[in-house]
Amino acid sequence: MKRSARPALTAAATSAVLALTGCSALGGGDDADLQIYTARHYDLEEAFADFTDETGISVEFLSGDDAELLERLKAEGDSTPADVFMTVDAGMLWNAAEQDVLEPIDSSVLDQAVPEDLRDPDGQWYGLAMRARTVVYDPESVDPGDLDAVDTYAALGDPQWAGRVCMRDETASYTQSLVASLIDLHGRDEALAIVQGWVANDVQIMSNDVELLEAIDAGGCDIGISNHYYLARMLEEDPDFDVELYWASQDGDGTHVNISGAGLVAGTEAPEEAQQLLEWLATDGQSAFVDANHELPVNPEVDPEPLAASFGEFDRMPVDARAYGSLNSEAVELLDEAGYR
């Protein structure tokens, strides 16, 4: 179905999206069959173009920060042109569902393709790609045998790592969701002690994972925590890039994993087409969606692309979107209390 022209934005909605990065149309422009608000910026054009080629359903997407996009959806209300909301954090998906921005769908295809902990129990959102946040290190200065296989994240506060650790800044959703998961696993007091241990080790705070990996490669620090696909990207560009990956906590709770996922916007005028897109992304389109960015498929029937697969299999921590979302503000407060900045 063709969409009508976009309605004018309210002043509140216009203000909420001043920082959005722009939009792209694939086979339809303003009259595209599907309008997607996405915080995901990785190779969407190719995946959506494949979807359009296979189904004839045209797609337009608007990119921006996930929190800003959520605020836009809330400000636009029933007049939003969006059919699908796509984010890069399970906690944000949980928040969107809690704020009645999403509507449930009933899909046996998605229920079969997406593991239970990677989707909303009421069908309001589904994970479509996994990203593991794990330990990366300089093989010239770190013996992986010295890493704690039970609780690798907490052990980075041990004295042997003093002055040797790099981590992402406190404003990153990756950092906040990791800390929220530690609060959920260990309780607030122990999670605070873990972060205080990192701070006591004079952790170097980096603005992004690429900067962190480059610092390890250059000898600026010996070990850090990064999303796995950033290292895969660096290795794709330079096979001699001298940083290696260690799957955290394999003898404990498993490696922390977050998801990129999506749900149907409440009141969408194209529910069937939007559901068809999500089903395609979780099945026939899984590889098109995740491979170019070296992410991991959520569908257990789909193999990871070769470079991501080269890191080896691992046990992951179950994804608790409720914890990532409901404990986010507590994680932010905890980081501040610990002096993590």
Side-chain angles (χ1 to χ4, degrees):
M1 63 179 284
K2 293 292 184 183
R3 295 297 301 267
S4 59
R6 293 184 175 188
L9 295 182
T10 64
T14 302
S15 174
V17 296
L18 288 177
L20 298 184
T21 58
C23 60
S24 180
L26 298 166
D30 283 350
D31 292 326
D33 299 315
L34 288 175
Q35 309 279 346
I36 300 172
Y37 285 3
T38 176
R40 181 183 173 85
H41 311 295
Y42 311 121
D43 304 291
L44 285 175
E45 292 92 342
E46 183 176 346
F48 289 158
D50 288 350
F51 173 73
T52 298
D53 288 344
E54 291 188 23
T55 65
I57 298 171
S58 55
V59 175
E60 181 183 50
F61 61 94
L62 177 71
S63 299
D65 174 81
D66 50 10
E68 291 166 351
L69 288 168
L70 180 56
E71 287 305 309
R72 174 171 181 153
L73 285 169
K74 290 161 59 181
E76 290 175 336
D78 292 340
S79 67
T80 182
D83 302 296
V84 173
F85 178 49
M86 183 176 289
T87 83
V88 292
D89 177 64
M92 185 59 64
L93 289 167
W94 180 86
N95 273 317
E98 286 292 297
Q99 296 181 50
D100 298 322
V101 168
L102 306 178
E103 68 177 44
I105 58 177
D106 183 8
S107 171
S108 60
V109 173
L110 285 166
D111 289 346
Q112 182 174 350
V114 182
E116 187 172 2
D117 70 312
L118 304 182
R119 53 182 163 88
D120 178 64
D122 297 321
Q124 295 194 79
W125 54 262
Y126 291 84
L128 299 170
M130 287 192 295
R131 56 269 305 279
R133 192 148 193 84
T134 193
V135 166
V136 288
Y137 65 94
D138 176 2
E140 299 299 319
S141 58
V142 173
D143 180 350
D146 291 336
L147 294 168
D148 187 332
V150 176
D151 198 343
T152 315
Y153 303 106
L156 291 180
D158 291 348
Q160 67 170 316
W161 304 115
R164 303 173 67 187
V165 181
C166 290
M167 291 190 183
R168 185 73 178 265
D169 63 282
E170 73 280 6
T171 64
S173 61
Y174 303 141
T175 302
Q176 294 170 8
S177 289
L178 174 60
V179 172
S181 73
L182 295 176
I183 295 172
D184 188 49
L185 280 173
H186 303 297
R188 190 186 191 282
D189 290 346
E190 188 172 344
L192 176 62
I194 291 171
V195 178
Q196 287 174 330
W198 299 342
V199 173
N201 270 347
D202 196 24
V203 60
Q204 299 180 55
I205 304 298
M206 302 290 175
S207 62
N208 58 67
D209 283 6
V210 173
E211 180 185 3
L212 183 152
L213 289 162
E214 289 176 340
I216 294 175
D217 181 58
C221 50
D222 294 336
I223 193 166
I225 297 175
S226 170
N227 282 1
H228 79 278
Y229 58 83
Y230 284 107
L231 178 56
R233 285 188 205 168
M234 306 297 278
L235 291 169
E236 183 177 43
E237 294 177 3
D238 177 11
D240 295 323
F241 190 73
D242 199 21
V243 177
E244 295 187 7
L245 180 145
Y246 177 88
W247 291 123
S249 303
Q250 291 302 281
D251 291 343
D253 294 306
T255 297
H256 174 79
V257 166
N258 208 329
I259 56 173
S260 175
L264 270 61
V265 174
T268 171
E269 296 176 11
E272 294 181 1
E273 292 89 343
Q275 180 170 329
Q276 188 174 349
L277 172 64
L278 266 60
E279 290 174 345
W280 183 84
L281 290 171
T283 55
D284 294 344
Q286 266 281 270
S287 293
F289 190 66
V290 305
D291 284 4
N293 192 45
H294 310 291
E295 290 173 282
L296 301 168
V298 297
N299 189 331
E301 299 301 316
V302 177
D303 293 328
E305 59 84 31
L307 192 48
S310 72
F311 294 140
E313 296 183 355
F314 68 100
D315 293 326
R316 64 176 179 86
M317 189 186 300
V319 173
D320 188 341
R322 178 206 56 79
Y324 296 3
S326 65
L327 296 174
N328 178 265
S329 60
E330 188 170 351
V332 172
E333 292 171 0
L334 186 151
L335 286 160
D336 182 65
E337 181 179 343
Y340 185 100
R341 60 181 67 90

